Amino acid sequence: MRECVVQPDTFTHSLIHAFTFHMTRTFTISQPGGGRIALDLAHELNDAQRAAVTCGEGPKLVIAGAGSGKTRTITYRVAFLIARGVPPSQILLATFTNKAAREMLSRVEALTGSDAGGLWGGTFHALGNRLLRQFAPKVGLQSNYSILDDEDQRDLVKLCVGEAGVKVEQKRFPAPALIQELISMAFNTDRALADVVEERAPHFALWIEELQRVGARYEAKKRAANAVDYDDLLRFWLKLLQEHDDLARQLSAQLRHLLVDEYQDTNILQARIIERLAEHNGRNLMVVGDDAQSIYKFRGANYDNILKFPERNPGTEIFKLEVNYRSTPEILEFTNASILQNQAQFRKTLTAQRPRGSLPVVLPVGDAYQEAAFVAERILQLRDEGLALAEMAVLYRAHAHSSILQAELIKRHIPYEVRSGVRFFEQAHVKDVVAHLKVLDNPFDEIAWRRLWMMLPRIGSATAAKLWERIARTPNPCAAALAPEVCAGLPPAAQPAFRRFQQDLRALRAAADDRDPAQVVAAVMDTAYPEYLRAKYDGAASRLEDIQQLAVFAKPYRTLNGLLSELVLLGELYGQEVTGAGSRDTEQLVLSSIHQAKGLEWKVVFVIRMSEGSFPSEAALREESGEEEERRIFYVATTRAKDELYITHPLMDFSLRGGGTLMLQPSRFLREIRFTLYEQGQLEWPASTPAWDDGRA
């Protein structure tokens, strides 16, 4: 393995010599067929970028630090190859999104002044489809195969569940979307389905035999229908290369230069595909990415793909892009100090091209309410100073961490967009829990009753309507729903779950009589609802954390009525803010999970909930190498900031179990950074949850 070693051919050597001593010259290169391409490598690229762009053949690894001009380097590399006489049809550029592919191809065309349409550019799945349409019969498909979209896949899995004869009356069987997710994860990580279930969804372990039957039927039905899903586009592409060596050699000869963007995000199959293609083209493979930004293990990304690339490809040249054009030196010094703690990485130090600014601010806050108040107040101050809301972002480790902040922003009429999912109080599982609270507060709420009943096995809309007719005319529908004869009137298959529902309802009524609203939310977690949530929705762990945050939100309220009224008013206030005419706010503040924020940047970034237990995630710490990935997530968060970085960590949290208060430590990722690299902030106002007359304490 060699680092930053460039061995150019005669042409490249003369080019480098020219711009070394005449830094203002533009080089015009004739293209076969008469075209001429002007690439101003001297002015448009720094030394490290030029070295990567103009390097010779063989395996290359470009470690592109945050804000270091990765896209520029890739597109100039493609343009340089075309300028050297390589036909676009002999270049493959694999990206992870269609948007990235369009942007890169557009830039290449702008640089070359010609149509790059012959270039093999696109996502892995799009490229796989392009090849399979030509060679489908070699892998047992017909060339006119259909591609199943997400909805098609769920429908087919649902059909397979029915045909597999799964009995779901006693224990909830996972929803089709969850089954498809598990099957896909097993494929993309090259693991057995049973192992994936044990790791990611152990509550479904009792169904493993049934899941395997469903999986087998799913594969058989796809083949019978001459249909493929997205994963199959990779599966059959790899099969084509592995089982037909002559074709693999032919494709490698045709695709002389292979480039892959965001290599740290590839899964094991994508790495096998691209490195198999490189076996017969002189290993002319350039992979570009940043190991420090590898944060998608939960999607199947394999960190070893980039970390061990030089081991799998002997003679790899490594180029490091360490000049950052985004952030101030103070922000980079802070982020460098954090990522330095990771052991498994390519060591690098980002250096800033921008003038010095202010130190990052680390601010302890009393609790999540005080945190939200600070963030909202500081955002208003910055807006008054002339900074647009769209130039600011609030980032968090988990979507649930935005709940209290969203409520605060609505009350202060600060428009915002959520990029990490649905707005907190509009999420289906949050509405599920709120429905429990509604029937306790207002037993005549038909919509809430119907929502609860239709969560139960063997109860549909018709049965729910009959149940409502049974209890609606009684003085107390909540008490009437507990009567044994109500259960006895249901179909036998529906009765076991309904009896459990009645038992849970009794417990919730007792909780509502004796406890505050936060404890009633906590009591919902002792019902059958968590079992329903795990079987119905994806991302069960994060959704359960959302319910924890709903309990935190409910903590200041004295009554269920006060809490529920506030939830309704929050929705009303948000609607007015978004649709109201004449608003002077034409842009919105961005709220985003860190994962969704990767690749983006803002002038001011707030990173919230940086307390031990919240960030790093406790679940991630139980996984192998989990702490290092969590630190990479923190690194991604902090490197989004251009001018100012604020990090807050609550000192107290509400306990869902027992109703007590937990004392919190700052995140280990803050404690390990030298205190001279940030400014310790402090708040002046005393209380975070003042008294109101609207049901709050």
Side-chain angles (χ1 to χ4, degrees):
M1 181 176 69
R2 292 169 291 150
E3 232 175 86
C4 295
V5 177
V6 183
Q7 294 181 325
D9 55 20
T10 304
F11 174 88
T12 307
H13 186 276
S14 63
L15 188 61
I16 295 174
H17 179 79
F19 64 57
T20 301
F21 295 96
H22 305 280
M23 296 299 289
T24 60
R25 293 181 59 187
T26 297
F27 298 88
T28 302
I29 306 172
S30 297
Q31 198 180 185
R36 299 173 67 82
I37 298 176
L39 297 179
D40 191 355
L41 302 178
H43 285 99
E44 296 298 325
L45 304 174
N46 63 35
D47 292 345
Q49 291 169 339
R50 268 196 307 274
V53 165
T54 61
C55 66
E57 298 189 341
K60 316 294 178 187
L61 172 59
V62 180
I63 301 297
S68 63
K70 170 179 66 69
T71 300
R72 174 182 292 268
T73 301
I74 296 173
T75 51
Y76 265 85
R77 173 64 175 174
V78 174
F80 180 79
L81 291 172
I82 294 173
R84 289 281 310 279
V86 178
S89 61
Q90 295 184 2
I91 302 172
L92 181 147
L93 173 58
T95 64
F96 269 81
T97 65
N98 290 316
K99 179 182 177 182
R102 289 192 297 269
E103 179 184 358
M104 290 187 182
L105 292 176
S106 175
R107 289 197 191 188
V108 169
E109 290 183 3
L111 287 172
T112 60
S114 61
D115 183 9
L119 189 148
W120 286 68
T123 66
F124 272 94
H125 296 90
L127 292 169
N129 180 53
R130 181 174 173 181
L131 276 169
L132 289 174
R133 291 297 182 187
Q134 299 179 48
F135 304 108
K138 290 183 177 293
V139 290
L141 296 172
Q142 299 176 41
S143 296
N144 65 337
Y145 60 79
S146 301
I147 301 177
L148 305 176
D149 62 21
D150 290 333
E151 185 176 358
D152 293 333
Q153 293 171 44
R154 290 192 297 270
D155 289 344
L156 186 56
V157 169
K158 185 176 182 179
L159 181 62
C160 293
V161 172
E163 292 184 356
V166 177
K167 304 296 183 183
V168 299
E169 287 84 0
Q170 295 163 358
K171 289 287 186 179
R172 294 185 185 277
F173 196 66
L178 299 184
I179 299 173
Q180 174 57 26
E181 180 183 307
L182 292 170
I183 292 172
S184 180
M185 181 57 65
F187 169 77
N188 284 295
T189 56
D190 195 24
R191 300 171 62 197
L193 179 60
D195 294 337
V196 172
V197 171
E198 181 181 357
E199 177 186 288
R200 298 176 66 89
H203 46 284
F204 294 145
L206 75 163
W207 292 114
I208 189 58
E209 291 185 8
E210 289 83 356
L211 289 170
Q212 289 171 332
R213 289 207 310 270
V214 170
R217 283 179 173 271
Y218 177 66
E219 292 302 321
K221 280 190 171 294
K222 285 188 296 180
R223 299 295 81 79
N226 190 37
V228 300
D229 59 21
Y230 301 131
D231 293 335
D232 288 327
L233 297 173
L234 301 181
R235 182 201 313 270
F236 289 114
W237 185 3
L238 182 58
K239 183 178 182 180
L240 197 66
L241 298 176
Q242 290 178 332
E243 296 183 359
H244 300 276
D245 191 64
D246 57 336
L247 181 58
R249 291 177 180 274
Q250 175 188 331
L251 290 172
S252 294
Q254 176 183 346
L255 301 171
R256 290 172 49 199
H257 292 274
L258 309 172
L259 298 94
V260 184
D261 186 26
E262 303 286 13
Y263 205 64
Q264 78 280 351
D265 295 336
T266 54
N267 62 41
I268 192 168
L269 280 95
Q270 291 163 330
R272 287 174 181 170
I273 287 168
I274 206 72
E275 293 182 30
R276 171 67 171 157
L277 270 176
E279 285 182 11
H280 304 299
N281 75 347
R283 291 205 174 271
N284 285 333
L285 169 59
M286 173 178 283
V287 300
V288 184
D290 184 4
D291 59 298
Q293 297 187 69
S294 178
I295 62 173
Y296 292 115
K297 181 181 178 182
F298 72 98
R299 292 182 184 170
N302 189 332
Y303 185 52
D304 282 350
N305 286 354
I306 191 167
L307 191 66
K308 296 183 179 179
F309 181 86
E311 295 179 24
R312 297 191 307 275
N313 298 273
T316 295
E317 290 185 69
I318 300 178
F319 302 89
K320 294 182 179 179
L321 308 184
E322 300 175 285
V323 179
N324 177 284
Y325 296 92
R326 175 185 299 155
S327 306
T328 62
E330 290 81 0
I331 291 173
L332 292 185
E333 288 163 6
F334 183 91
T335 60
N336 286 334
S338 175
I339 201 63
L340 184 65
Q341 306 297 322
N342 274 9
Q343 298 304 308
Q345 65 169 307
F346 293 102
R347 298 285 179 183
K348 63 180 178 299
T349 301
L350 295 181
T351 58
Q353 283 293 98
R354 298 185 54 201
R356 298 195 69 83
S358 57
L359 287 170
V361 175
V362 175
L363 181 70
V365 292
D367 54 24
Y369 299 95
Q370 197 174 76
E371 180 178 63
F374 162 73
V375 172
E377 184 70 22
R378 184 62 185 138
I379 285 167
L380 290 174
Q381 292 171 356
L382 290 166
R383 188 179 64 171
D384 289 344
E385 293 169 9
L387 185 63
L389 289 176
E391 292 287 356
M392 295 180 268
V394 183
L395 307 182
Y396 33 82
R397 175 63 182 85
H399 182 56
H401 296 166
S402 68
S403 58
I404 294 171
L405 176 61
Q406 288 190 47
E408 187 71 22
L409 295 173
I410 292 170
K411 292 172 187 174
R412 292 178 182 243
H413 301 282
I414 301 175
Y416 67 93
E417 61 172 315
V418 180
R419 296 185 179 176
S420 53
V422 180
R423 285 174 174 267
F424 184 82
F425 299 107
E426 297 172 1
Q427 297 176 109
H429 55 289
V430 173
K431 289 186 174 182
D432 289 344
V433 175
V434 170
H436 288 81
L437 310 184
K438 285 183 174 180
V439 299
L440 297 173
D441 180 60
N442 174 18
F444 292 93
D445 190 328
E446 178 184 357
I447 302 302
W449 280 113
R450 284 175 177 261
R451 188 181 189 102
L452 296 183
W453 288 329
M454 291 180 65
M455 295 180 201
L456 304 179
R458 304 296 183 180
I459 293 183
S461 57
T463 303
K466 291 178 181 178
L467 282 169
W468 174 246
E469 288 177 7
R470 185 77 181 263
I471 70 172
R473 297 184 180 90
T474 65
N476 189 335
C478 199
L482 298 174
E485 56 269 22
V486 173
C487 181
L490 295 173
Q495 290 182 18
F498 196 85
R499 280 194 291 271
R500 172 65 193 274
F501 169 76
Q502 290 178 316
Q503 176 185 335
D504 291 339
L505 183 59
R506 289 188 186 94
L508 289 175
R509 292 184 76 194
D513 288 340
D514 300 334
R515 305 181 200 173
D516 58 48
Q519 286 305 304
V520 181
V521 175
V524 174
M525 298 303 291
D526 293 324
T527 70
Y529 180 71
E531 179 185 325
Y532 169 84
L533 181 148
R534 293 187 182 97
K536 174 72 173 178
Y537 302 117
D538 60 353
S542 64
R543 292 175 189 268
L544 291 171
E545 187 172 357
D546 286 341
I547 297 173
Q548 159 80 41
Q549 293 306 310
L550 179 62
V552 173
F553 178 83
K555 183 63 176 173
Y557 294 86
R558 293 192 300 263
T559 66
L560 280 177
N561 188 265
L563 170 63
L564 294 170
S565 297
E566 182 76 351
L567 293 177
V568 173
L569 290 173
L570 285 175
E572 179 68 19
L573 285 171
Y574 169 65
Q576 291 175 359
E577 184 64 44
V578 171
T579 61
S583 172
R584 68 185 181 89
D585 297 304
T586 58
E587 83 290 328
Q588 296 176 315
L589 172 73
V590 173
L591 306 187
S592 176
S593 70
I594 298 166
H595 287 91
Q596 291 289 338
K598 184 174 175 291
L600 304 176
E601 61 184 35
W602 295 271
K603 289 185 177 180
V604 177
V605 168
F606 297 83
V607 183
I608 63 173
R609 298 297 180 92
M610 280 300 301
S611 300
E612 197 69 18
S614 294
F615 198 171
S617 158
E618 288 184 339
L621 294 179
R622 292 191 289 269
E623 300 178 1
E624 183 180 358
S625 305
E627 180 176 318
E628 295 215 343
E629 175 151 338
E630 289 291 294
R631 190 176 286 106
R632 294 195 295 269
I633 296 171
F634 180 54
Y635 174 83
V636 168
T638 55
T639 53
R640 301 309 94 200
K642 296 163 69 174
D643 299 337
E644 297 183 41
L645 174 63
Y646 297 89
I647 301 172
T648 57
H649 62 93
L651 301 175
M652 294 181 294
D653 193 19
F654 168 67
S655 172
L656 187 63
R657 303 296 182 186
T661 299
L662 299 176
M663 301 304 296
L664 304 176
Q665 284 188 312
S667 168
R668 65 190 67 187
F669 301 150
L670 295 177
R671 300 197 306 269
E672 65 195 14
I673 296 178
R674 193 170 71 251
F675 70 91
T676 57
L677 295 179
Y678 60 86
E679 181 180 355
Q680 184 76 47
Q682 64 178 11
L683 297 179
E684 293 183 355
W685 60 77
S688 60
T689 55
W692 283 274
D693 293 326
D694 59 1
R696 278 188 273 189

